[in-house]
Each structure stands twice: as structure tokens, then as C-alpha cells.
Amino acid sequence: VELVVQFQVLNQSCQCLAWKPHPVGAWGAENQHVVAGYSDGTIRVFSISRTEMELKMHPHAVALTAIAYSTDGEMILSGGKDGLVAVSSPRTGMTIHVLAEHKGSPITVLQCARKQYRDFGVEGGELWLATSSDRRVSVWASDWLKDKCELLDWLSFPAPAGPERLGSLPPSLAAFCPWEPGTLVYVGFGMQKEALFYSLRKKQVVEKISLPYFATSLSLSPAARFMAVGFGERLLRLLRCPSGEAQDYAGHDDAVHLCRFAPSGRRLLTASHSAVLLWEL
């Protein structure tokens, strides 16, 4: 492993980042861009090949907590600590939408997916979801070229009366299911320790897989029916779906706060306090 490029922003901490999706067949260093969200509410787009910052925007008044590109790479979605979600164009540097539906609770996840949106009777080129710390998930259908953004579903997951400080609770995390179109997976603080599969068509939870602890990170393989879940108990669990057949892995020095499948599905990256682990599947 060697360090290839390094970008430094003084006096700001980088809170979240995302790779720009590449057009099919056009993967090369000249196309590689990364967008990063910072503690002062700014977004910076970096070119890997040119090793320079290409764009700086300031769509938020508070620290960013989540960031994602739209599936075509034409828009950047960003979420802040105050629960506001901004949609900005990296071409123009303008913010075209600010969505306040999650206001008051930090955004934990933003994810975009190419989906059969017509199945849901709405217009749009993609579906995307936002999740906030208060166990709420909103699902949207968007057509950015036509400036359309429509709320498709709104989920609220119950939980027992918990500790006063929200920061001490496990995060609320959701992801579109790559192998079940129109389904999303949710984990978070709740009545039970479990992963919930929710069908956007049936508007209900269609499957539950029980977990040993509340999850701290989640990733679904784009290539096979595998789900990786990280826990505060220094444990990584690989689950085969829908059977729920589980394999546990130790080896982290602290809470597994990040797990991410590679696009091929053959590798899994996990991170804890001072360790980054790469797993071959």
C-alpha cells in the first residue's frame, strides 16, 4: 500500500466523502473525482488525476455529516448536522434544492440508486434515500434535469425510551438492497436488535434478521446476497441473505464504524478507531 495523492484543508475536519460514479467503460485516472464534506459546512471537489481542488461550495451553515453523488454524477447530495439536505450542481456550483424534512436531527446516510421508479407511479431517473439520527428514513424519486424531486415514502422506526443523549445511541442506517429492487434495509436503535427489510411496493417490513448487538455500520454487496454489519463490540458479521446464515470476525481494536463492499463484491473494507482492514471474500 502506498500513498498516491494527499489533499489538505487547514483547520477543518473532513466528515464524509464520496467517489464520483464513472460512466460505464470510462474508468481511468482522468475521470476520478472525490467530493468531501467539512466541519464548516463546505463541500470540496478534488480531481485525483490533476491533484487539485476543482470546486468549493458552501451549502450548509453547520458541519456536514453525509454526502453522495447522484448515480449519473451530475448532482451532489449533502446532509448536515442540523438535518437539512442540500442538492448542488458541481457544474455550476449552485445549490438547487434544500430539503428540510429531517430538520433537527443529523443526517446519517444519503444514498442514490438507479431504480425502476416507474413501478411506483412517479417520474424520475433515480431513487435516493436520506436517514437521520431520529430513526427516520425518507425515500425520494428525482429527475434532476427536469428539476423534479418527489417524496415517495417516509419511514419512522420506533424505539424504547432511551438515554437522554442522542450521541450515545447507535446510528440509524439504511441502504437500498441491490438484489431486491424496491427494497431497503434498515438497522438502528429499536425495540429489537435486528436488520429490517422494507418493501417500498408493499409499504411494510417483509423480513427481519436478528443481530447480536445494535449495528454501528452496514454495507450490502452489489454482487451477491451478502450483508456486512459492524458492531460496537469490535465484531464484524457477514450475513448471507435471506437465510441469515452468519459468520463472525474479530480483529478490530474498537467499534467497527465503517464497512464498505468494493463494487466487485469481492473485497470488503472495514474501519475502527485506529485500524483499517481489507477482507477478501
Side-chain angles (χ1 to χ4, degrees):
V1 179
E2 64 170 313
L3 180 66
V4 184
V5 182
Q6 186 171 350
F7 300 103
Q8 280 189 312
V9 176
L10 295 175
N11 304 323
Q12 291 303 326
S13 62
C14 176
Q15 312 280 37
C16 46
L17 43 83
W19 285 96
K20 182 177 181 177
H22 54 277
V24 178
W27 181 242
E30 69 280 0
N31 296 317
Q32 292 185 348
H33 287 84
V34 166
V35 63
Y38 289 86
S39 48
D40 63 349
T42 56
I43 288 175
R44 290 170 171 82
V45 176
F46 298 100
S47 163
I48 303 295
S49 56
R50 301 222 301 269
T51 65
E52 65 181 28
M53 184 179 84
E54 286 192 351
L55 178 67
K56 178 182 171 185
M57 298 183 278
H58 203 156
H60 297 271
V62 297
L64 272 88
T65 50
I67 201 157
Y69 271 98
S70 61
T71 53
D72 59 7
E74 292 297 316
M75 292 293 164
I76 293 168
L77 285 72
S78 54
K81 203 173 177 179
D82 56 3
L84 295 182
V85 174
V87 181
S88 309
S89 164
R91 279 182 192 271
T92 64
M94 302 282 285
T95 296
I96 57 165
H97 288 292
V98 176
L99 303 158
E101 275 75 3
H102 288 270
K103 193 175 181 180
S105 185
I107 301 297
T108 49
V109 179
L110 289 168
Q111 189 197 3
C112 300
R114 285 195 179 89
K115 288 283 175 185
Q116 297 89 334
Y117 51 91
R118 285 192 195 87
D119 296 358
F120 307 108
V122 291
E123 281 190 54
E126 69 182 8
L127 293 187
W128 61 274
L129 63 78
T131 310
S132 49
S133 302
D134 55 3
R135 302 176 303 281
R136 295 190 299 169
V137 183
S138 60
V139 183
W140 305 77
S142 294
D143 190 333
W144 304 121
L145 294 172
K146 293 182 181 167
D147 202 21
K148 282 192 170 159
C149 190
E150 188 179 337
L151 184 64
L152 190 68
D153 211 335
W154 182 261
L155 318 177
S156 259
F157 293 95
E164 305 295 301
R165 281 176 28 256
L166 199 62
S168 62
L169 293 176
S172 306
L173 304 170
F176 288 114
C177 186
W179 58 83
E180 283 289 343
T183 302
L184 60 87
V185 178
Y186 171 85
V187 294
F189 182 63
M191 299 301 186
Q192 306 290 334
K193 300 175 179 78
E194 58 193 359
L196 302 173
F197 288 71
Y198 177 89
S199 165
L200 291 164
R201 287 194 191 84
K202 297 179 180 172
K203 303 263 186 190
Q204 66 185 52
V205 172
V206 289
E207 192 188 328
K208 299 178 180 185
I209 294 179
S210 87
L211 302 173
Y213 311 104
F214 287 117
T216 48
S217 53
L218 171 75
S219 184
L220 280 73
S221 167
R225 292 170 172 261
F226 279 109
M227 180 163 75
V229 187
F231 303 100
E233 289 70 16
R234 307 181 185 189
L235 187 73
L236 172 71
R237 174 166 283 195
L238 197 60
L239 287 152
R240 189 188 289 276
C241 303
S243 68
E245 188 185 324
Q247 187 79 44
D248 287 341
Y249 302 93
H252 290 88
D253 60 350
D254 207 325
V256 185
H257 61 76
L258 178 112
C259 48
R260 191 75 46 86
F261 277 101
S264 67
R266 289 197 291 272
R267 288 184 168 175
L268 176 68
L269 188 77
T270 61
S272 56
H273 173 66
S274 61
V276 176
L277 278 65
L278 185 63
W279 308 80
E280 292 273 0
L281 272 72

